[in-house]
Amino acid sequence: GTRLFYNILELIILLFFITILYYFNIINDGTYSALKLIILLLSIFINSFILGLNTNNKKYIEGIKYGIILIILLFIPTIILNSFKMKVFIYYLLIIITSMFGSMFSIIKKKK
């Protein structure tokens, strides 16, 4: 619950910051698009990693559940805006994989 809140809060703050940079033409279109994706995936990875550290077993399942919750939250505006494309499927797949790997990497950290 709280991990999801922190993830959304991080995303809002970081995306707001790069949007300001984009608005004032400090970064270009390509950089803006790449930074949005990198920030999203990095934030999901870090938060699912922390979630995995706090989980005792089946960390990848927790990562998948976390990713599915995020996808559901992102899917709602997609349906409302009627902007569902193949690119969106790939985007959601990246979210699930990143979330799963983030929680799985916590296994390596815990063993040390």
Side-chain angles (χ1 to χ4, degrees):
T2 58
R3 192 61 22 221
L4 184 62
F5 173 74
Y6 288 137
N7 195 9
I8 292 170
L9 188 63
E10 286 170 9
L11 286 173
I12 290 171
I13 292 168
L14 292 171
L15 292 175
F16 179 74
F17 178 71
I18 66 162
T19 301
I20 289 173
L21 294 176
Y22 177 70
Y23 180 77
F24 289 109
N25 291 325
I26 296 171
I27 58 176
N28 62 21
D29 292 343
T31 306
Y32 178 65
S33 296
L35 281 176
K36 283 193 312 184
L37 183 62
I38 290 168
I39 286 171
L40 174 74
L41 296 179
L42 194 60
S43 178
I44 291 170
F45 184 86
I46 291 168
N47 283 291
S48 62
F49 178 83
I50 293 168
L51 179 70
L53 286 176
N54 297 327
T55 304
N56 291 329
N57 54 7
K58 296 190 180 177
K59 296 172 187 292
Y60 65 96
I61 298 289
E62 289 301 314
I64 291 172
K65 286 194 288 189
Y66 186 71
I68 288 172
I69 291 170
L70 284 170
I71 288 173
I72 289 169
L73 291 174
L74 293 171
F75 191 68
I76 294 168
T78 303
I79 290 174
I80 293 170
L81 297 173
N82 200 16
S83 61
F84 197 76
K85 300 173 186 161
M86 187 60 180
K87 184 172 139 180
V88 176
F89 257 133
I90 295 168
Y91 190 66
Y92 292 156
L93 186 63
L94 280 172
I95 290 172
I96 288 270
I97 291 169
T98 302
S99 179
M100 185 177 70
F101 279 132
S103 61
M104 286 172 59
F105 270 81
S106 66
I107 296 169
I108 298 167
K109 175 70 176 164
K110 258 194 171 172
K111 286 184 180 179
K112 289 184 178 181

